[in-house]
Amino acid sequence: MTTKVLIVEDDLLNRMFYEAVFKQRGYELMLVDDGARVLDAVDSFAPDIITMDIHLPHVSGRKLIREIKKNPRTQHIPILAITAYAGKLDEEGIRRAGAGGYLAKPLSIDSLLGGVDALLEGQKVH
């Protein structure tokens, strides 16, 4: 079975980077660039994992993480938060919202794939 990844990222270059990395692994992808469309995408695509930018148009990634995690149908989906804001308080708030992993931009291919692999295996990402 192919791993389904929902990529939530408003920056075109970052989306292209994530898409290229995950396509090379053979993952099935859905890309969303606006926070207002994320919850519908989660319902329709039923991803195995979500990579979530935190600063998005219309709805923050942190709020979306909370919404996904409070819904019984989607709370099992691991979420890897990715943000340019890498302060300790930012990370703590994002983890409290329900993200299983947290990575600061800019990302390397290894850190992105390592974070996704760890979450898919049920581990936390630091």
Side-chain angles (χ1 to χ4, degrees), residues 29-48:
L29 306 175
M30 177 180 271
L31 291 85
V32 177
D33 64 355
D34 186 322
R37 294 195 298 269
V38 170
L39 297 178
D40 287 339
V42 172
D43 284 338
S44 65
F45 186 59
D48 297 305

Side-chain angles (χ1 to χ4, degrees), residues 20-92:
V21 169
F22 292 134
K23 274 189 174 179
Q24 205 159 27
R25 276 237 175 141
Y27 291 162
E28 183 178 345
L29 306 175
M30 177 180 271
L31 291 85
V32 177
D33 64 355
D34 186 322
R37 294 195 298 269
V38 170
L39 297 178
D40 287 339
V42 172
D43 284 338
S44 65
F45 186 59
D48 297 305
I49 190 166
I50 300 168
T51 64
M52 178 75 70
D53 186 19
I54 297 303
H55 296 278
L56 297 164
H58 301 109
V59 182
S60 78
R62 190 181 303 198
K63 181 175 182 182
L64 290 165
I65 292 168
R66 281 194 299 268
E67 292 294 318
I68 292 165
K69 290 302 181 175
K70 78 177 187 183
N71 183 333
R73 290 188 333 255
T74 58
Q75 64 188 4
H76 68 281
I77 301 169
I79 300 173
L80 179 62
I82 301 173
T83 185
Y85 298 91
K88 185 68 174 164
L89 292 176
D90 292 313
E91 180 178 356
E92 289 171 4

